[in-house]
Amino acid sequence: MLQKLARIGAAALAVAVAGVGTPALAQQKGGAINVATIGEPNTLDPMVAAGDLLGMITQHFYETLYTFDKNWALTPLLAETLPQISDGGKIYTIPLRQGVTFHNGKAMTAQDVVASLKRWTELASRGKLVADNIAAIEATDDKTVKITLKAPFAPLTALLAFNNSAAVIMPADKMENPIKEVIGTGPYQLKERKPDQYIQLTRFDGYKQRQGEPDGFGGARKQYLDEIRFVPVPDANTRVEGALAGQFDFADLIPVEAFDRLKGQAKTEPVLMQGFGWPMFIMNNKQGMMTSKDMRKAVQAALNAEDMLAAAFGKPEFYKLDGAMYPEGYAWRSDAGIKAYNQGDADKAKALAKTAKYDGAPIRILTSRQYEFHYKMAQVAAEYLKAAGLKVDLQVVDWATLVQRRAEPALWDIFITHSPFLAEPALIAPLPDSYPGWWASEAKNKLLLALNAESDEKKRVAIFADLQKLIFEEVPFYKVGDFAALSAKAPRLSGYTASPWPYFWNASLKP
């Protein structure tokens, strides 16, 4: 069922760059690449933190039981097959691939998987989403893991597949918190990390890839490159200039206005992903002025999404004005509640703020210039809020600091982030109570419980429409619109497939 919904959504994604997604006929081993990222991750443990930067890097050395293929259908990774589901959706039996070894040379066993999944339910925001519904996680033998649920939970396999707040598999004896050793099963292993300089990965010669051909995040993960070096480059323009100079083989998430500069260059070329995802303003539902629904609705009424998108992305071909949680082409698409989107109504915002007993304190907005479009949207939002009589304290920090601060409810009122469109709504970051923003509405939890327990496709789509309507009514966050993402890659980098979370297994360097 989830596989079918994922395939419907995959049609919404388009890629524009010469040669991307078409591996060379005869790729060669060897060489090292430099990848410019938007900054430095605050940890290398993908369970304890969420974020695209963290998932992008750690997916090269940590792996999950399942992942997504090129059509966003679920596919096995460390598991041998998709789970065998029985007892009305309450028992998941997971056969494991054999011959998989960790980077320390030890064989992966069912005991490692059980320990990893238990750690995930205790530490990871998405693991906590299902933790209370798990009756047992156990190894039935060295090759098989069984998860027993108290009630059916339709998104479980998708949660186990997601690389963000991820259910990665670690050795059972290497699970400290914080972790002391980074040991996974992936095609690359951590060699050295120098904070604010680089994260150096090298090929893991003991890696056992799946049989067959590459298939999105699934299928074979071929190890052509000797080394991948992730280099934090917080300034977006520096990433552009480094790509143009040939300093970086790949530069992630650069301003879309650089698209024309990248075309026709000898040392770099644009990678544009249409319909990539959606920026959002997350409200603090736990502490401070945004705990008032009227105050959140005042912000909703004040903001003009079209002006924010235009400032952030420039040309209309790089963005779309759309308040729905999913764009056209996805099964989850609904127009429920979207009349509340893109109001730009200062008078209405003033009236709502008055009802909320707004006392003139500044609204603390956290943003970062490492994602330049976040910063530009924040600037425009600040002006619309000021026009509605609201004071604003725009706090511009590096991304690692933003991630740290957003975990402390006393430190902010709104922060800005973004997400790709995901095949399963349960993966949407701000829905769990535990995600910063802490939307713990009784009505939301009732709908989420119904969505997660339902197995019928049409019924799940209808429930999600009700959930989207509630999002507009309670305003835990504000979707700005849809956007295209621009990156840059060197023409010599062959076999790279464009992705929301760039990966470099299967990629090689042309001779």
Side-chain angles (χ1 to χ4, degrees):
M1 184 273 293
L2 290 176
Q3 289 91 326
K4 184 183 290 187
L5 291 174
R7 290 190 184 99
I8 293 171
L13 185 65
V15 180
V17 64
V20 167
T22 307
L25 292 177
Q27 291 176 268
Q28 296 185 6
K29 276 195 172 186
I33 62 169
N34 290 311
V35 177
T37 65
I38 62 99
E40 177 82 10
N42 60 333
T43 178
L44 291 182
D45 185 346
M47 285 196 197
V48 302
D52 290 343
L53 173 62
L54 178 63
M56 168 190 168
I57 294 172
T58 58
Q59 67 184 342
H60 291 81
F61 45 86
Y62 280 127
E63 294 182 312
T64 48
L65 292 170
Y66 301 101
T67 188
F68 298 96
D69 69 14
K70 62 184 178 183
N71 293 316
W72 290 101
L74 290 162
T75 190
L77 184 55
L78 290 176
E80 183 62 40
T81 65
L82 288 173
Q84 301 160 13
I85 303 175
S86 58
D87 192 20
K90 291 192 290 185
I91 294 179
Y92 285 63
T93 302
I94 302 172
L96 304 176
R97 288 173 59 208
Q98 297 304 294
V100 175
T101 58
F102 289 106
H103 298 151
N104 61 3
K106 293 184 178 180
M108 182 193 77
T109 69
Q111 287 71 32
D112 297 306
V113 174
V114 168
S116 296
L117 294 182
K118 288 182 177 179
R119 185 180 191 267
W120 176 68
T121 62
E122 294 167 359
L123 299 181
S125 60
R126 287 183 173 84
K128 292 176 183 178
L129 184 64
V130 70
D132 289 343
N133 192 25
I134 293 178
I137 303 174
E138 55 193 329
T140 57
D141 56 44
D142 282 347
K143 303 177 181 179
T144 312
V145 169
K146 183 172 74 171
I147 302 175
T148 303
L149 302 177
K150 300 173 184 176
F153 189 81
L156 179 59
T157 310
L159 285 174
L160 294 175
F162 199 36
N163 74 350
N164 195 310
S165 188
V168 297
I169 306 305
M170 305 173 171
D173 60 347
K174 301 291 182 182
M175 294 195 179
E176 302 88 354
N177 184 28
I179 54 174
K180 296 178 181 178
E181 296 181 72
V182 175
I183 300 174
T185 59
Y188 290 86
Q189 59 189 340
L190 179 67
K191 181 178 180 181
E192 185 177 22
R193 180 187 187 185
K194 288 194 173 182
D196 299 319
Q197 294 186 48
Y198 59 80
I199 295 171
Q200 181 185 19
L201 310 183
T202 56
R203 183 193 296 114
F204 172 43
D205 290 330
Y207 182 66
K208 183 177 181 181
Q209 64 178 325
R210 295 193 69 91
Q211 297 297 312
E213 294 301 314
D215 187 5
F217 293 95
R221 293 184 168 185
K222 300 181 182 295
Q223 304 164 279
Y224 296 111
L225 299 169
D226 293 333
E227 180 181 317
I228 305 168
R229 186 174 293 210
F230 294 98
V231 182
V233 185
D235 183 76
N237 292 322
T238 303
R239 295 199 294 279
V240 173
E241 297 302 327
L244 289 166
Q247 180 182 357
F248 305 126
D249 298 287
F250 187 89
D252 194 28
L253 289 178
I254 57 182
V256 290
E257 57 263 30
F259 184 80
D260 289 338
R261 289 189 66 198
L262 297 172
K263 291 192 298 185
Q265 296 291 323
K267 296 181 179 179
T268 195
E269 59 190 6
V271 180
L272 182 68
M273 296 188 70
Q274 293 286 0
F276 170 85
W278 50 295
M280 67 190 97
F281 289 19
I282 306 288
M283 315 286 184
N284 188 339
N285 292 249
K286 189 173 187 179
Q287 186 171 339
M289 69 178 78
M290 291 300 157
T291 57
S292 164
K293 184 171 77 171
D294 285 323
M295 196 65 197
R296 299 195 301 273
K297 291 183 79 69
V299 172
Q300 179 190 57
L303 295 180
N304 182 302
E306 188 168 11
D307 283 354
M308 287 190 286
L309 290 167
F313 302 107
K315 299 178 181 179
E317 55 262 40
F318 296 139
Y319 66 87
K320 183 177 181 181
L321 190 67
D322 188 3
M325 296 298 109
Y326 281 91
E328 297 288 349
Y330 281 78
W332 305 106
R333 170 75 184 190
S334 171
D335 292 333
I338 64 173
K339 288 184 178 179
Y341 172 68
N342 191 36
Q343 297 178 57
D345 189 332
D347 291 338
K348 181 179 179 180
K350 286 179 183 178
L352 285 163
K354 184 177 180 180
T355 301
K357 296 182 171 54
Y358 173 62
D359 62 3
I363 299 172
R364 298 163 297 171
I365 301 178
L366 278 177
T367 190
S368 170
R369 296 202 69 165
Q370 286 159 266
Y371 293 111
E372 187 71 9
F373 65 98
H374 289 191
Y375 172 68
K376 290 179 178 179
M377 288 188 302
Q379 288 182 305
V380 175
E383 295 308 311
Y384 273 96
L385 293 173
K386 291 174 186 176
L390 306 173
K391 292 183 181 180
V392 175
D393 176 13
L394 192 60
Q395 300 181 4
V396 185
V397 298
D398 64 84
W399 185 249
T401 300
L402 186 150
V403 171
Q404 290 174 342
R405 287 191 187 179
R406 74 183 185 185
E408 299 293 336
L411 300 181
W412 60 278
D413 300 300
I414 298 172
F415 79 84
I416 303 173
T417 186
H418 70 270
S419 171
F421 293 108
L422 303 169
E424 163 57 51
L427 300 177
I428 295 175
L431 292 186
D433 292 2
S434 57
Y435 184 82
W438 303 284
W439 183 32
S441 158
E442 181 179 347
K444 177 212 66 174
N445 288 332
K446 183 177 179 181
L447 285 170
L448 265 185
L449 181 64
L451 179 70
N452 294 337
E454 183 56 64
S455 59
D456 181 87
E457 291 179 24
K458 291 182 180 179
K459 290 180 180 179
R460 293 193 82 220
V461 168
I463 294 168
F464 182 71
D466 290 339
L467 182 58
Q468 177 177 291
K469 183 180 179 182
L470 185 69
I471 290 168
F472 282 103
E473 291 173 352
E474 297 196 355
V475 205
F477 55 88
Y478 182 97
K479 179 194 173 185
V480 183
D482 304 348
F483 75 100
L486 180 65
S487 299
K489 83 167 195 70
R492 74 181 191 132
L493 184 61
S494 174
Y496 169 75
T497 300
S499 163
W501 305 283
Y503 57 87
F504 301 97
W505 60 82
N506 301 332
S508 64
L509 292 174
K510 295 178 182 177

mmCIF file of all heavy atoms in Angstrom, residues 54 338 429:
data_model
loop_
_atom_site.group_PDB
_atom_site.id
_atom_site.type_symbol
_atom_site.label_atom_id
_atom_site.label_comp_id
_atom_site.label_asym_id
_atom_site.label_seq_id
_atom_site.Cartn_x
_atom_site.Cartn_y
_atom_site.Cartn_z
ATOM 1 N N LEU A 54 22.612 16.004 8.539
ATOM 2 C CA LEU A 54 23.068 14.834 9.284
ATOM 3 C C LEU A 54 22.747 13.554 8.529
ATOM 4 O O LEU A 54 23.591 12.667 8.377
ATOM 5 C CB LEU A 54 22.412 14.815 10.665
ATOM 6 C CG LEU A 54 22.744 13.635 11.571
ATOM 7 C CD1 LEU A 54 24.223 13.603 11.901
ATOM 8 C CD2 LEU A 54 21.905 13.695 12.846
ATOM 9 N N ILE A 338 -6.961 25.329 2.989
ATOM 10 C CA ILE A 338 -5.952 26.233 2.415
ATOM 11 C C ILE A 338 -6.435 27.676 2.218
ATOM 12 O O ILE A 338 -5.640 28.535 1.838
ATOM 13 C CB ILE A 338 -5.384 25.691 1.088
ATOM 14 C CG1 ILE A 338 -6.469 25.606 0.019
ATOM 15 C CG2 ILE A 338 -4.710 24.344 1.305
ATOM 16 C CD1 ILE A 338 -5.904 25.242 -1.350
ATOM 17 N N ALA A 429 8.210 15.972 9.624
ATOM 18 C CA ALA A 429 8.968 16.222 10.857
ATOM 19 C C ALA A 429 8.167 16.834 11.997
ATOM 20 O O ALA A 429 8.257 16.361 13.137
ATOM 21 C CB ALA A 429 10.189 17.086 10.538
#
